[in-house]
Amino acid sequence: DRYSSKEFQQEIDKIISPRNIAFNREIYEFFKSTSDTTVFVNVRNIGNLLILDENRNQLGDIDVLVIDNKKHKFLIIESKDFSAVRTPYELNLEMGKIFGDNGHLKKHERRVNWFKNNLENIIKYFGLNEYLDWCVKSIFVSNEPLFSSHFHKQKDTEMISVTELKEIYHKRCVS
């Protein structure tokens, strides 16, 4: 099937990638405009700590990393823009890419676990007060509410739209 070929997927990625880059930037700019936060986009390493699994395989980048200095939280944000998804078939394909065995969510959760396992060194790298109780919050943000997130409840990752993220952050400063 030509639509599932690697070449076809690479062509689709060329279209979607710039949208995701812009979407990451939108989230970055939102948090950058709020007080008491330090924000980074497309984080591939933290100092000399590479984001690797136990077999030294790269886990990819953290789309948006927010340090909430007031709440003593790290927000690890995976962001996906699904505006190119138009039909139920395309939506089904995207859901497989998110929730599949090697989907975006699983990869994100592996990066979050890496972050938690390296938390002590990360706190030191950023020069944060290591005596405070820092926590890590995992968030998956989409440009639109994900209907499928109602069927795929996540225990450790909050799945919300960018509009919900902005409302939540302003209301409760991300609890």
Side-chain angles (χ1 to χ4, degrees):
D1 180 353
R2 71 179 182 173
Y3 295 112
S4 60
S5 72
K6 187 176 183 177
E7 293 80 19
F8 181 76
Q9 190 57 52
Q10 288 172 338
E11 290 302 313
I12 294 296
D13 288 345
K14 285 181 189 174
I15 297 167
I16 294 173
S17 184
R19 287 187 178 134
N20 280 326
I21 291 168
F23 189 51
N24 289 352
R25 196 91 192 144
E26 176 186 351
I27 295 168
Y28 167 83
E29 293 296 336
F30 167 72
F31 279 106
K32 189 176 171 198
S33 70
T34 62
S35 62
D36 298 319
T37 60
T38 307
V39 191
F40 304 90
V41 68
N42 303 111
V43 178
R44 295 194 177 279
N45 60 290
I46 297 176
N48 61 359
L49 292 174
L50 299 175
I51 303 174
L52 304 172
D53 67 13
E54 58 279 351
N55 298 320
R56 311 266 318 138
N57 297 314
Q58 288 193 343
L59 293 174
D61 65 343
I62 296 171
D63 288 343
V64 182
L65 169 61
V66 179
I67 303 171
D68 185 330
N69 299 299
K70 188 175 182 181
K71 296 279 188 179
H72 310 117
K73 286 188 183 201
F74 291 95
L75 307 180
I76 312 297
I77 300 173
E78 177 75 7
S79 62
K80 293 294 173 222
D81 181 340
F82 295 107
S83 59
V85 175
R86 303 267 184 245
T87 67
Y89 176 74
E90 291 170 330
L91 181 62
N92 186 48
L93 290 176
E94 273 313 309
M95 293 306 104
K97 288 182 192 175
I98 293 172
F99 299 106
D101 289 339
N102 199 29
H104 299 303
L105 189 58
K106 295 279 188 226
K107 291 176 183 176
H108 172 66
E109 289 171 346
R110 288 195 294 264
R111 287 187 288 271
V112 170
N113 287 334
W114 171 89
F115 197 94
K116 289 176 179 178
N117 291 335
N118 289 281
L119 189 57
E120 185 178 320
N121 290 324
I122 291 168
I123 289 169
K124 286 178 185 174
Y125 174 78
F126 286 116
L128 302 170
N129 186 337
E130 58 192 275
Y131 298 106
L132 295 174
D133 189 21
W134 288 89
C135 67
V136 177
K137 184 168 178 77
S138 172
I139 305 174
F140 190 103
V141 180
S142 58
N143 62 312
E144 299 289 334
L146 285 177
F147 177 71
S148 61
S149 67
H150 298 289
F151 301 105
H152 295 277
K153 294 287 183 193
Q154 301 304 311
K155 185 177 89 172
D156 298 323
T157 300
E158 185 173 8
M159 301 193 69
I160 57 177
S161 71
V162 68
T163 303
E164 293 167 320
L165 176 78
K166 291 175 181 179
E167 288 172 2
I168 289 169
Y169 195 82
H170 283 298
K171 284 183 184 170
R172 61 182 167 122
C173 297
V174 184
S175 67

